Amino acid sequence: MENREPILEVTRLSKHFKLEKRAVYKAVDQVSFQIFKGETFGLVGQSGSGKSTTGRMMIRLYDATDGEVSFNGKVISGKLSKEERRHLNKKMQMIFQDPYASLDPRMTVMDIIAEGIDYHGLAANPSKRAEKVYALLETVGLNREHANRYPHEFSGGQRQRIGIARALAVEPEFMILDEPISALDVSIQAQVINLLKKMQRELNLTYLFIAHDLAMVKYISSRVGVMHKGRLVELAETKELYANPLHPYTKSLLSAIPVPDPLKERARKRITYDPSIHKYDVEQPVWAEVTPGHWVLCSERELAQYRSDLALVASQTSKKGEQSGKSKEQ
């Protein structure tokens, strides 16, 4: 990971909302991470964890209270000129959760998809504009006959495909996918995810995939960050995080994933997360790298325990490998 080039960097990002009687709600609190070019970075957590707010600050739908966001090495969270904002809107796009609410019901699919093309002047004439829209429809698994229809004539899955085509129309480098399948039927979800993966390979896209469905995040993501009450509590490569979760909150989320096998599902034990186990009133937590690429929010005492736990896992894995090798020799 050290040699990969970050396309986006979030540094100590925070978003606070003022409530009644001068109270302050910390929706996002001191969050830091990088997203590398060509990868899918999964951001997970329960409702209210701050993951969607983080995504909206990254694309400037919300202004950050503190911290900064850098895109391709340039800070984009401060004041930008009209031209800089225009360039950013082209290079960064967002797919929203609700395919019903994100499309203007008064516009045809042709005009919906062509909004960005018109704004950025990406078509020389109406004929080129139409051809570009037709090509985008085919890219997302629809056809040119759909161009003159209105959103209410489509299913949820088809509307989400139209939203994806609209985002692709401006040829972005980076896309924020905010719960893009949660409003869809289960039978359609896999189709949309496979489409996103196919487009990523063909167009060299980078994704931030925001979701609460950990099973789907595991399938699509290169690395995963886990958020809880506005804080990033754990971050690691997907395989490492699911095999060796360290933070108790991560363990509780993973324990809630259903198992296809009925016998194993009945035996599955849920882990309940109790924040009081941390004793952070005595020892403040820090964002620490437990092993290369595996980060956890923890106290010094917890950090030592996590490293000990991972060392034990590595030792047991090594012994199993040696035993397996001996068995094959015999």
Side-chain angles (χ1 to χ4, degrees):
M1 281 292 177
E2 290 79 2
N3 297 323
R4 297 182 65 182
E5 184 179 358
I7 189 172
L8 192 137
E9 296 183 75
V10 170
T11 307
R12 301 183 68 82
L13 196 65
S14 297
K15 180 62 179 178
H16 300 166
F17 292 99
K18 291 183 179 179
L19 305 177
E20 296 179 1
K21 297 181 180 180
R22 298 182 180 181
V24 173
Y25 170 59
K26 295 182 179 181
V28 178
D29 189 22
Q30 303 289 306
V31 167
S32 298
F33 58 87
Q34 294 180 321
I35 299 177
F36 298 108
K37 287 187 177 181
E39 79 166 339
T40 296
F41 183 92
L43 196 59
V44 303
Q46 295 172 319
S47 297
S49 63
K51 56 189 187 298
S52 291
T53 302
T54 299
R56 288 168 184 254
M57 282 191 288
M58 290 163 64
I59 204 167
R60 293 182 63 99
L61 291 178
Y62 291 161
D63 291 327
T65 302
D66 195 14
E68 66 179 32
V69 179
S70 297
F71 180 67
N72 281 329
K74 177 179 174 57
V75 176
I76 61 170
S77 48
K79 287 187 176 181
L80 297 178
S81 67
K82 184 177 180 180
E83 191 58 37
E84 288 172 330
R85 187 180 285 270
R86 188 186 187 96
H87 176 75
L88 186 64
N89 289 342
K90 183 177 184 296
K91 294 299 181 182
M92 297 175 66
Q93 286 287 306
M94 190 166 190
I95 304 295
F96 295 93
Q97 175 179 358
D98 188 353
Y100 298 91
S102 60
L103 304 179
D104 190 332
R106 298 164 299 179
M107 297 174 65
T108 64
V109 169
M110 170 71 77
D111 290 335
I112 288 171
I113 295 175
E115 272 190 296
I117 296 173
D118 297 340
Y119 179 74
H120 292 284
L122 300 178
N125 53 55
S127 177
K128 294 290 185 182
R129 176 185 188 262
E131 286 303 319
K132 193 171 180 67
V133 171
Y134 295 150
L136 286 163
L137 284 170
E138 291 177 3
T139 297
V140 298
L142 299 174
N143 58 62
R144 62 173 57 205
E145 283 72 29
H146 291 128
N148 295 319
R149 298 182 186 177
Y150 290 86
H152 73 270
E153 299 179 64
F154 296 90
S155 67
Q158 288 175 320
R159 292 188 199 195
Q160 196 62 292
R161 288 170 184 263
I162 293 167
I164 293 169
R166 178 178 58 184
L168 290 177
V170 295
E171 302 169 6
E173 294 180 28
F174 176 69
M175 293 175 65
I176 297 174
L177 312 172
D178 188 7
E179 304 265 13
I181 61 171
S182 62
L184 305 178
D185 292 339
V186 174
S187 59
I188 305 299
Q189 290 181 356
Q191 294 179 21
V192 174
I193 289 298
N194 288 333
L195 171 63
L196 291 168
K197 289 171 71 70
K198 177 176 179 288
M199 292 190 318
Q200 185 175 41
R201 291 192 303 269
E202 295 177 352
L203 303 175
N204 194 29
L205 294 170
T206 304
Y207 293 149
L208 169 65
F209 188 84
I210 299 170
H212 63 269
D213 184 343
L214 275 81
M216 191 59 72
V217 169
K218 181 180 182 181
Y219 174 67
I220 194 173
S221 301
S222 316
R223 291 183 301 139
V224 177
V226 181
M227 288 193 71
H228 176 63
K229 291 189 175 181
R231 302 293 298 271
L232 196 62
V233 298
E234 189 161 3
L235 188 159
E237 291 190 23
T238 304
K239 185 177 180 180
E240 168 66 14
L241 184 82
Y242 282 73
N244 301 306
L246 296 176
H247 197 279
Y249 178 69
T250 306
K251 291 180 178 180
S252 73
L253 287 182
L254 293 179
S255 74
I257 299 177
V259 180
D261 186 321
L263 293 177
K264 291 182 179 179
E265 175 62 19
R266 281 198 291 270
R268 176 170 61 93
K269 294 182 179 180
R270 291 288 302 271
I271 298 173
T272 302
Y273 175 54
D274 179 8
S276 67
I277 65 173
H278 297 295
K279 311 298 182 186
Y280 287 158
D281 55 334
V282 177
E283 188 177 11
Q284 285 296 309
V286 295
W287 185 236
E289 192 171 23
V290 183
T291 58
H294 195 156
W295 295 79
V296 184
L297 184 70
C298 58
S299 66
E300 290 295 329
R301 175 184 57 81
E302 289 172 331
L303 178 59
Q305 183 62 53
Y306 293 155
R307 284 178 171 158
S308 175
D309 292 344
L310 287 180
L312 179 61
V313 169
S315 175
Q316 292 174 340
T317 302
S318 177
K319 288 181 179 178
K320 287 181 180 179
E322 290 176 1
Q323 292 173 352
S324 176
K326 289 179 180 178
S327 297
K328 289 181 180 179
E329 289 176 3
Q330 294 173 355

